[in-house]
Amino acid sequence: VNACVDVVLSGVKLLQALGLNPENGEDHSILHSKNDLKEAFVHFMGKGAAAERFFSDEDTFHDIAHTASAFPGAQ
């Protein structure tokens, strides 16, 4: 069974809330860290494209999801 719950907010604002500055972009087939998330975001948004990636570190993923859902104005 696969379930998906979306949180909608600005990607740049999420990166800022995580203490990350959007700098260099790089594609990662699997995300292992917040830095990997930042690099993948910059890489794909610079191309005007979206991408879905698996996040291998459960604790970091939950920290990011909590930060996103607690962000003021997140839907």
Side-chain angles (χ1 to χ4, degrees), residues 6-20:
D6 292 333
V7 176
V8 180
L9 75 150
S10 161
V12 172
K13 289 182 180 180
L14 175 60
L15 293 181
Q16 290 171 342
L18 294 169
L20 302 169

Side-chain angles (χ1 to χ4, degrees), residues 40-64:
F41 175 82
V42 171
H43 174 78
F44 284 102
M45 291 301 112
K47 298 177 181 299
E52 292 187 14
R53 295 291 184 259
F54 176 77
F55 211 104
S56 68
D57 184 305
E58 183 178 352
D59 292 335
T60 302
F61 174 79
H62 285 292
D63 181 50
I64 292 167

